[in-house]
């Protein structure tokens, strides 16, 4: 990318600085998630947990069949075509698939930095949040497990969509690339349809900033820009719902009351928060009992956490605090598709479900830490070292079907 000759030197220096941060984030992600400490992810074996079925399907179906047929009650051709590309490497397919995942995660970390910087307008906060995303052990499942290719690939697509949307907005036009990239993301994994909501948050905080500066701020042009992406998201959600109802159960029934299931999921909500702060005891299968109870203190903690997130969203909007709006919005929107009360899925809790929403918590914590400039660097360094080591160890657990269990 060449720079505009008319761009002031200070702006060029800032752009180059952000690019260096993005490269550093990608490198950090690779150091943690390439599994070098355990021989490298290219030595990992497929896990006896979905990997054989995913790889067999990618090998057994032609590209045309993947594009025209549903798979496992869903239509996600981009995901399976991506895995099929790895099978072209023959005996090196498994190694290539693992490296492919790690490279996509590194790219996602770099893109996330640019997206967050545009949202919060603070290079330190955006960079620190993207760093935690790059190295956090809770994200190892999305990177080191071949079957979770859909997590990393779908996030890359929607982050690229966000940057394309923002570039078109800055140019005073409506993006064509953004809805196309959002569509590709949703055809990789349906949970990312919610990114249209993140674009809505972006427009919201932009309106807040303009009103704070005393500039004219109308929601009309913003809505017009959003229409293509919102339409794609709504149609995508409807298509996923229809596909599940027509070709599969449509929803999983756990044989418990909605109140019991809600209590179980409230407890899961609390556990997610604990795992992000203290990432130990991570598992690929938590075995959550759907018959939850409101007598469980964790259920009430999870419910209070939900109320707090909603309250933060409202208060931050009223006080014109963009970081609070984005942090709460990312957390709530990211967990919405996997709340498991509506819609319901077989897996009630999984580390991969945090791949989207975790950035919201990172932003909030680091936004508060940024107010303490005398200690923020030391705290971030210490946390990054601990999480980095734990991330390397967690990645190593995915080496084969024995170590993962």
């Amino acid at each position: 990318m060449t720079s505009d000759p008319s761009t002031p030197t200070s702006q060029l220096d800032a752009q180059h600085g952000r690019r260096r941060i993005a490269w550093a984030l990608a490198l950090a992600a690779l150091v943690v998630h390439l599994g070098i400490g355990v021989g490298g992810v290219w030595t990992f074996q497929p896990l006896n947990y979905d990997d054989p079925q995913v790889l067999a399907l990618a090998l057994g179906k032609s590209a045309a069949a993947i594009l025209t047929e549903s798979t496992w009650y869903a239509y996600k051709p981009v995901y399976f075509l991506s895995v099929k590309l790895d099978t072209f490497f023959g005996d090196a397919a498994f190694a290539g698939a693992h490296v492919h995942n790690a490279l996509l995660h590194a790219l996602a970390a770099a893109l996330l930095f640019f997206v967050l910087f545009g949202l919060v307008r603070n290079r330190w906060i955006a960079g620190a949040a993207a760093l935690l995303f790059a190295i956090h052990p809770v994200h190892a499942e999305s990177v080191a497990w071949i079957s979770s290719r859909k997590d990393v690939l779908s996030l890359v697509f929607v982050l690229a969509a966000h940057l394309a949307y923002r570039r078109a907005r800055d140019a005073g036009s409506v993006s064509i690339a953004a809805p196309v990239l959002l569509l590709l993301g949703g055809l990789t994994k349906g949970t990312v349809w919610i990114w249209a909501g993140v674009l809505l948050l972006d427009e919201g905080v932009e309106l807040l900033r303009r009103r704070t500066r005393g500039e004219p701020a109308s929601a009309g042009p913003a809505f017009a820009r959003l229409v293509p992406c919102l339409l794609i998201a709504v149609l995508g959600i409807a298509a996923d719902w229809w596909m599940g109802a027509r070709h599969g159960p449509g929803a999983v029934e756990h044989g418990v009351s909605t109140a019991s299931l809600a209590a179980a999921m409230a407890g899961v909500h609390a556990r997610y928060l604990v795992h992000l702060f203290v990432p130990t005891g991570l598992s690929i299968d938590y075995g959550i009992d759907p018959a939850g109870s409101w007598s469980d203190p964790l259920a009430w903690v999870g419910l209070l956490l939900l109320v707090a997130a909603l309250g933060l969203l409202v208060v931050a909007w009223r006080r014109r605090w963009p970081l609070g709006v984005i942090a709460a919005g990312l957390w709530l929107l990211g967990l919405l598709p996997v709340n498991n009360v509506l819609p319901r899925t077989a897996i009630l809790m999984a580390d991969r479900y945090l791949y989207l929403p975790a950035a919201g918590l990172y932003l909030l914590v680091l936004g508060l830490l940024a107010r303490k400039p005398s200690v923020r660097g030391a705290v971030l360094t210490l946390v990054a070292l601990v999480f980095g080591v734990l991330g390397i160890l967690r990645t190593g657990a995915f080496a084969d079907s024995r170590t993962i269990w």
Side-chain angles (χ1 to χ4, degrees), residues 81-145:
L81 285 174
S82 172
V83 177
K84 191 171 185 64
L85 286 176
D86 297 324
T87 65
F88 293 152
F89 292 98
D91 293 340
F94 299 150
H98 282 298
V99 174
H100 192 173
N101 276 21
L103 290 172
L104 285 170
H105 178 64
L107 177 58
L111 293 175
L112 181 65
F113 164 68
F114 288 118
V115 168
L116 294 181
F117 176 77
L119 290 170
V120 302
R121 308 290 174 86
N122 184 297
R123 189 167 67 175
W124 189 89
I125 295 174
L131 175 62
L132 293 186
F133 170 83
I135 66 175
H136 202 294
V138 82
H139 302 313
E141 179 178 302
S142 295
V143 186
W145 185 26

Side-chain angles (χ1 to χ4, degrees), residues 253-265 290 292 294 340-342 344:
E253 292 300 331
H254 294 284
V256 299
S257 68
T258 299
S260 293
L261 184 58
M265 291 312 301
W294 289 106
N340 275 304
V341 176
L342 183 69
R344 299 179 182 181

Side-chain angles (χ1 to χ4, degrees), residues 56 61 71 127 141 191 214 218 227 284 297:
K61 278 194 171 187
T71 304
E141 179 178 302
T191 54
S218 172
V227 165
I284 201 171

Side-chain angles (χ1 to χ4, degrees), residues 132 136-139 264-280 282 286 297-309 312 327-328 331-332 335 348-351 353-355 357-366 368 387:
L132 293 186
H136 202 294
V138 82
H139 302 313
M265 291 312 301
V268 167
H269 196 194
R271 290 182 178 91
Y272 281 149
L273 184 67
V274 173
H275 282 183
L276 286 172
F277 279 104
V278 187
T280 58
L282 302 180
Y286 289 101
L298 269 182
W300 286 102
V301 171
L303 180 60
L304 290 174
L305 176 60
L306 173 61
V307 172
L312 173 61
W331 181 260
L332 293 166
L335 287 176
L348 299 186
M349 178 177 179
D351 292 346
Y353 291 168
L354 288 171
Y355 200 61
L361 182 65
Y362 302 153
L363 274 182
L364 179 61
V365 172
L366 290 163
L368 297 175
F387 282 3

Side-chain angles (χ1 to χ4, degrees), residues 376-388:
R376 68 182 189 182
V379 172
L380 178 62
T381 300
L382 177 61
V383 171
L385 287 173
V386 172
F387 282 3

